[in-house]
Amino acid sequence: MQEKILFGTYTKRVSEGVYEAILDTTQEKLVDAQLIATVGNPTYLTTSKANRLYAVDKHDGQGGLFVFDNTQRPAKKVAEHLIDSSPAYVAVDEQRQLVYAGYYHAGLTEVLKIDGANLVLTDQVKNEGSGPRPEQGSAHVHFTGLTPDQRLVVVDLGTDKVDIYDVSAAGKLSLVSTYQAEAGFGPRHIRFSPDGQYAYLLGELSSQLSVLKYDATTGSLTHLQTTTTIPNNWTEHNGAAAIRVTNDGQYIYTSNRGNNSIAVFKTSDAGAHIELIQLIASEGDFPRDFALNSDETFVVVANQNTDNVSLFKRDAQAGTLSLIQKDFLIPEGVRVHFE
């Protein structure tokens, strides 16, 4: 079986934009990397069921989103939505036909209606505030995605807050609840258990992972547990980055930039408790993102600073990873997305 993977990148040194490669699950290796779209700093991207590719773009002092026809190679740009900043996260709401964009530097959340190939702004929220760490001088929205019951969850690294909104069919937001993480936690991304009972909040600045109870009735989050993503004796810089939860909810994976590792957690108590069971080297520097393939047999990790992608095989019973390929060339890779 061959599965297509898209890679978002920085274009600071050698990368030219969005790349695509193939995971050959029979041969158990990555093959055929190619540039499919020339874009400035497409640090995040996603796709829709309508075969649109939404990629972050930055050029001529502006930032925003490029929309591509993902059925063509090279991918054909069909629309753009540009402001004076680039988003850090983009998510598609297939049910309401909306796109959510979170802007790190602007502390802004945008809701955009999908109108054919175009995106039409329907609402935006500007966060305010700061945190105790130097990186928290202002609001920094780092995640905009959906809860299992189709609310919008917005994670703000700068203010240590997680906001949850109801979303109308017209793309208007109304605040439901706010979770305040520990000062300096620096929340980056959040994922939910398959049954929607628990959320797992990853702290970039603290290198910690928190388990939160999600109450769908009130749309609120309550803290249950926090644990580290790095060794207790690690004293150098580290920034936790990406998080993935398996479809059965048994295992959680996070990446560490600095420690240059993938942390593997096992859940228990129906998802209410987590335990770190493995730390495995990413075989490169600064693993910002990774992804599991369709049947969760393989994990693909992009190492930004060393321009390489590593391939791991996953033991479905134990949850642990083993390296099977490294040094697959993708320049400045920072986003991994199976199409």
Side-chain angles (χ1 to χ4, degrees):
M1 182 177 176
Q2 294 191 331
E3 299 185 44
K4 292 182 178 180
I5 315 168
L6 293 174
F7 295 93
T9 70
Y10 273 108
T11 55
K12 296 178 178 180
R13 297 184 287 104
V14 291
S15 173
E16 297 181 64
V18 178
Y19 292 79
E20 185 178 63
I22 301 294
L23 170 60
D24 189 318
T25 59
T26 303
Q27 298 187 58
E28 298 189 350
K29 67 178 183 179
L30 298 163
V31 296
D32 299 336
Q34 62 174 320
L35 177 70
I36 66 156
T38 302
V39 191
N41 284 340
T43 52
Y44 204 86
L45 55 81
T46 193
T47 53
S48 71
K49 292 181 179 179
N51 284 317
R52 298 297 187 198
L53 165 61
Y54 298 93
V56 170
D57 177 62
K58 184 177 182 180
H59 70 275
D60 297 332
Q62 288 190 303
L65 289 174
F66 271 8
V67 185
F68 293 91
D69 179 349
N70 198 39
T71 65
Q72 299 187 35
R73 291 295 179 266
K76 179 184 178 183
K77 188 180 81 169
V78 294
E80 62 183 33
H81 169 75
L82 298 177
I83 59 173
D84 60 356
S85 182
S86 296
Y89 200 94
V90 183
V92 175
D93 182 339
E94 296 282 0
Q95 178 179 311
R96 302 182 187 94
Q97 286 296 284
L98 299 172
V99 171
Y100 306 109
Y103 293 80
Y104 179 89
H105 295 290
L108 182 70
T109 300
E110 284 191 335
V111 185
L112 304 156
K113 187 73 175 178
I114 299 173
D115 181 13
N118 297 315
L119 295 173
V120 179
L121 182 67
T122 61
D123 205 354
Q124 62 179 204
V125 175
K126 172 74 171 168
N127 286 13
E128 302 292 344
S130 60
R133 295 183 180 237
E135 304 94 333
Q136 297 179 300
S138 62
H140 294 310
V141 174
H142 219 312
F143 179 95
T144 50
L146 293 173
T147 65
D149 55 349
Q150 301 300 298
R151 292 182 170 113
L152 178 67
V153 55
V154 176
V155 177
D156 191 323
L157 180 147
T159 62
D160 294 314
K161 290 181 180 179
V162 179
D163 292 320
I164 294 179
Y165 296 87
D166 281 335
V167 186
S168 73
K172 298 294 184 181
L173 301 179
S174 55
L175 184 64
V176 174
S177 71
T178 297
Y179 170 77
Q180 181 70 62
E182 181 182 352
F185 185 80
R188 179 184 174 97
H189 285 183
I190 193 169
R191 300 288 177 184
F192 288 80
S193 60
D195 63 5
Q197 296 295 307
Y198 301 96
Y200 306 103
L201 181 66
L202 185 62
E204 173 181 333
L205 303 184
S206 60
S207 297
Q208 292 180 327
L209 179 62
S210 287
V211 182
L212 312 176
K213 183 71 173 73
Y214 179 59
D215 185 335
T217 302
T218 61
S220 60
L221 296 166
T222 304
H223 179 267
L224 298 178
Q225 179 196 359
T226 295
T227 190
T228 184
T229 68
I230 54 176
N232 291 325
N233 62 354
W234 183 262
T235 58
E236 299 176 47
H237 176 267
N238 185 76
I243 176 172
R244 300 284 184 270
V245 180
T246 55
N247 291 331
D248 62 8
Q250 295 296 306
Y251 297 98
I252 302 168
Y253 300 84
T254 69
S255 60
N256 288 306
R257 300 169 298 173
N259 185 251
N260 293 338
S261 62
I262 302 298
V264 184
F265 298 86
K266 181 175 176 57
T267 67
S268 59
D269 299 333
H273 185 269
I274 57 174
E275 177 188 3
L276 179 64
I277 61 170
Q278 184 188 25
L279 272 169
I280 186 169
S282 67
E283 300 296 336
D285 185 30
F286 226 64
R288 179 164 163 153
D289 196 24
F290 66 95
L292 284 75
N293 77 315
S294 60
D295 66 2
E296 301 185 330
T297 300
F298 300 96
V299 176
V300 177
V301 181
N303 296 292
Q304 177 186 336
N305 291 345
T306 43
D307 304 324
N308 74 300
V309 173
S310 302
L311 178 64
F312 297 85
K313 196 162 187 178
R314 192 179 82 91
D315 184 318
Q317 296 301 315
T320 52
L321 305 179
S322 56
L323 178 72
I324 56 177
Q325 183 184 6
K326 63 178 181 179
D327 297 334
F328 183 75
L329 177 61
I330 294 291
E332 302 179 76
V334 295
R335 167 67 169 153
V336 184
H337 175 69
F338 278 89
E339 296 183 65

